[in-house]
Amino acid sequence: MGELLLPGSFDETLAALVRGLSAGRMLRVVNFHATPSYRREEYRKQFAAYAGLFTPITPDNFASAFDGTWSDPRPGLMPVLFEGFRDNVDVMLPVLEEFGFKGWFFVPSAFPAVVPAIQRSYAKAHKLHLPKRDEYPDERVVMTWDEGRSIAARGHGFACHSRSHFELTPETPDHVLWDEIHTAANEMRAGLGQPAEIFCWLHGAEAGVNPRADAMLREAGFRYLFSNFKVQRLA
């Protein structure tokens, strides 16, 4: 894992977290990456338990979960599936729908368009970690945009996880930022046929780590930034 970058000191970050938690401003998020079929029953047991405790966070109620106006008596839960792996669609999506949850798919926008013959090598080169037990005899290991549109039409959420699974630094040059933000936004919108409003960097850099990137995210139409410790409003 890369170095944890914060816009301020660790003490400042911790104090902000404490203030947010004390005010009840929190999103309950459970993260997944690859979701292989040999773990299907584990996932079913996990979400069967969640179904008795939580209400799904959906694209329609996300804003209220974020801004503290959540009115459901049960807290919301946001299952996040990183990278756009095919097994997220084949394995985890049916589990989520069985128990009434909406998945949130955080996809590097270039990944679904990589031709199947090189998807595994692309994944290795971009820190997209496939399961150690490869369950697909054919070459495709990534969701397609056709699948993405179908998933979105069923009420699940999407976020842009940069273009190439990119780790932001304060020194990242503008031409790279443009590709990772503007090109990514255009690819997400073309692939899904809907606006892309949520962004997340590899290793979860916060707003303030690179102010040029923050400005470009706003220009590209992103409204929220997911980081390691918080969700920040961009616009």
Side-chain angles (χ1 to χ4, degrees), residues 13-215:
T13 298
L14 181 61
L17 288 173
V18 170
R19 288 195 299 271
L21 291 170
S22 299
R25 297 284 301 277
M26 68 183 76
L27 285 174
R28 292 165 177 83
V29 178
V30 56
N31 292 336
F32 300 89
H33 290 78
T35 53
S37 67
Y38 64 83
R39 299 190 63 189
R40 182 182 283 111
E41 287 309 307
E42 295 176 42
Y43 302 139
R44 290 190 71 255
K45 291 177 182 177
Q46 186 174 356
F47 279 92
Y50 290 155
L53 299 171
F54 300 106
T55 295
I57 293 177
T58 72
D60 290 336
N61 66 22
F62 172 80
S64 67
F66 171 82
D67 65 18
T69 61
W70 184 263
S71 59
D72 195 287
R74 294 192 301 172
L77 183 69
M78 187 174 182
V80 172
L81 297 102
F82 284 94
E83 329 302 22
F85 291 128
R86 180 177 173 181
D87 57 18
N88 295 165
V89 180
D90 295 343
V91 179
M92 184 60 90
L93 182 63
V95 173
L96 294 173
E97 293 185 335
E98 177 183 358
F99 293 102
F101 286 95
K102 299 301 183 183
W104 288 81
F105 296 82
F106 281 43
V107 181
S109 67
F111 201 18
V114 174
V115 296
I118 62 169
Q119 285 179 0
R120 287 178 175 84
S121 59
Y122 182 92
K124 184 176 181 180
H126 291 84
K127 301 180 181 178
L128 295 155
H129 301 299
L130 292 162
K132 292 181 179 179
R133 188 189 306 176
D134 193 335
E135 298 186 315
Y136 289 105
D138 62 354
E139 295 177 320
R140 184 170 72 87
V141 294
V142 185
M143 73 164 58
T144 66
W145 283 127
D146 284 342
E147 288 172 331
R149 286 191 293 275
S150 174
I151 292 165
R154 281 142 59 185
H156 300 274
F158 279 81
C160 182
H161 196 22
S162 75
R163 183 166 194 257
S164 68
H165 207 222
F166 187 79
E167 184 172 11
L168 182 72
T169 72
E171 296 78 27
T172 302
D174 284 354
H175 72 279
V176 176
L177 292 177
W178 183 274
D179 194 46
E180 296 294 338
I181 296 172
H182 279 285
T183 304
N186 290 334
E187 288 175 341
M188 291 289 292
R189 290 165 187 153
L192 294 173
Q194 66 180 35
E197 297 188 332
I198 298 174
F199 193 94
C200 178
W201 295 105
L202 172 62
H203 298 148
E206 294 183 10
V209 165
N210 185 320
R212 292 174 292 111
D214 301 340

